[in-house]
Amino acid sequence: MSSSRIVTLSWPEAAAHPPVFPVFLPFSGCPVRCVFCAQDRQTGCAPRQAADALAVAGRQLRERAGRAHPAPELAFYGGTFTALPPEDFAACLTFARMARHEGLICGLRCSTRPDRLATDRLAALREAGCACVELGVQSFADDALHQSRRGYDGETARAACAAVRAAGMRVGVQLMPGMPGSRPARFLEDVRLALELGAACLRFYPCLVLEGTELAARWRAGGFRPWPLSMTLDVLAEALALAQRAGVPVIRMGLAPEAGLTAAVLAGPRHPALGARVQARCLWRQVARLLARARAEGRLGGDAPVRLVLPRRLQGMYRGHAGELAPLWARLGVTPARVRFHEGRREVFVERPDVSDDDAAIPHEGF
Ligand code: SF4
């Protein structure tokens, strides 16, 4: 058998990462209640005192260590960590230092707002061993930030990314496609900007209408319409491709399925396999784009047969949720008989099978 490769792309593997041990402090330190936010529902954790949260975390971390589980990375999430009252902020950092000293954790990260990054707080975080600060940027667009009553502008968000990096930590950027005032093109601009600003990781949280938020009231009054799921999947696939080209991981797409969240979702683009669906679409889009270019450049005839060759680890992913992308692959000429797998980890390619190939003799996986 002989064949020639038409297009090749590299499909990144998720980097090995220690488990994350989240300590949720819902709404703690938040100067405003953002219109879309229901942290208590999103995290499955009621608002509580930092001291209580630390007491529980200490017990759970010791139990983990007692069971010889690998030391996790401690993460303070759910509020505005750098705006906690001074005594709570200090207690959390003291706890992190103690836990690290005892070998209960292997690192520290936190999430916070872009407009609450006092220099002394960043220095204290760094000094306590914090490696990454995730910024709930949501958007760099002034209009979207204003409509969501975030209380800061795009310039503040851009400066915040620089400030975290200048303090010697990695910056993670959380974006919210579909928030009030957001448009697909603008969201993709936000992704490009986050990458230009040096984001070490991204999270995409498509905007949902959650019970108990101001957005729920706007939605009920007809003043807000969430993005449809199909459009969200396509836009996220494009955003994922941008991140992949920059070598930056997207570490979360969609809210985690916490207890109580499902009942709180009134509307919006939600699906339990959102991330997998986006990945599959992203792969299809990238292959489709490269094939179109190959055809435009005359490297492949319009109706020439092609064969898709994938790492075996993508076997369950590439055809999408319940095979939803099968028609799209078929449109590219990739029928079930035209798919092969290899044992490598990253390389995806499309090749032109030689006319002497006997496809029927080669094991393949159908849709
Ligand atoms: S979005 Fe962030 S800053 Fe706004 S209320 Fe929720 S946790 Fe607080």
Side-chain angles (χ1 to χ4, degrees):
M1 180 182 74
S2 65
S3 58
S4 56
R5 291 188 183 187
I6 310 299
V7 299
T8 303
L9 65 98
S10 180
W11 190 258
E13 290 186 83
H17 194 277
V20 169
F21 183 90
V23 174
F24 294 116
L25 298 167
F27 301 120
S28 296
C30 296
V32 294
R33 174 82 176 262
C34 302
V35 300
F36 45 73
C37 184
Q39 276 298 330
D40 45 350
R41 311 277 188 127
Q42 294 163 225
T43 61
C45 177
R48 55 187 176 164
Q49 298 295 320
D52 296 337
L54 294 176
V56 173
R59 274 200 306 277
Q60 293 176 337
L61 284 169
R62 287 195 174 81
E63 283 168 17
R64 278 184 62 99
R67 293 197 298 271
H69 288 178
E73 183 177 31
L74 177 64
F76 290 110
Y77 287 157
T80 303
F81 187 65
T82 50
L84 289 183
E87 59 281 9
D88 289 345
F89 186 69
C92 288
L93 297 193
T94 299
F95 176 86
R97 273 194 219 92
M98 174 279 296
R100 186 126 193 205
H101 182 71
E102 291 184 24
L104 300 176
I105 63 168
C106 67
L108 171 64
R109 65 196 296 144
C110 69
S111 66
T112 194
R113 286 170 57 97
D115 60 346
R116 290 295 186 277
L117 291 178
T119 309
D120 59 335
R121 293 262 167 141
L122 284 176
L125 275 173
R126 181 77 192 97
E127 199 272 327
C130 183
C132 181
V133 177
E134 295 191 38
L135 295 177
V137 167
Q138 318 309 357
S139 175
F140 293 101
D142 290 344
D143 185 43
L145 292 168
H146 179 70
Q147 289 193 38
S148 297
R149 273 225 324 266
R150 288 287 288 172
Y152 56 84
D153 61 9
E155 177 50 37
T156 302
R158 290 190 288 275
C161 294
V164 171
R165 297 181 70 207
M169 294 172 283
R170 288 182 285 124
V171 63
V173 173
Q174 302 177 0
L175 296 172
M176 183 172 280
M179 67 195 278
S182 172
R183 298 184 315 280
R186 181 61 243 192
F187 166 64
L188 293 174
E189 263 313 296
D190 284 340
V191 176
R192 286 189 196 94
L193 197 47
L195 295 169
E196 279 171 28
L197 291 166
C201 60
L202 299 172
R203 292 182 192 257
F204 301 146
Y205 292 117
C207 187
L208 301 176
V209 181
L210 301 177
E211 188 60 274
T213 63
E214 183 183 320
L215 202 58
R218 288 191 196 177
W219 172 75
R220 286 192 171 103
F224 174 73
R225 268 206 331 213
W227 284 6
L229 178 61
S230 60
M231 183 178 96
T232 304
L233 291 170
D234 285 337
V235 177
L236 288 183
E238 192 62 31
L240 179 59
L242 292 172
Q244 286 187 348
R245 267 177 239 140
V248 173
V250 178
I251 59 175
R252 180 84 214 170
M253 286 187 268
L255 293 175
E258 291 295 339
L261 179 64
T262 303
V265 177
L266 299 174
R270 182 146 196 271
H271 189 275
L274 186 91
R277 293 181 75 181
V278 170
Q279 288 198 34
R281 277 172 198 235
C282 180
L283 177 63
W284 181 85
R285 291 171 77 95
Q286 296 202 56
V287 171
R289 193 172 292 160
L290 291 169
L291 267 179
R293 190 189 303 164
R295 289 196 164 105
E297 293 170 352
R299 291 184 284 117
L300 183 69
D303 54 359
V306 293
R307 185 161 57 206
L308 176 68
V309 186
L310 301 160
R312 189 167 293 282
R313 70 185 175 91
L314 303 184
Q315 187 171 353
M317 179 277 273
Y318 79 96
R319 56 191 173 180
H321 179 69
E324 64 181 341
L325 300 185
L328 293 181
W329 283 113
R331 208 186 290 167
L332 299 182
V334 179
T335 57
R338 297 279 180 193
V339 181
R340 300 288 183 275
F341 299 99
H342 64 80
E343 301 308 321
R345 300 299 299 172
R346 299 176 70 105
E347 199 175 47
V348 173
F349 54 92
V350 177
E351 60 186 10
R352 184 169 38 208
D354 188 85
V355 287
S356 64
D357 279 7
D358 179 0
D359 282 336
I362 305 170
H364 66 265
E365 303 291 335
F367 287 111

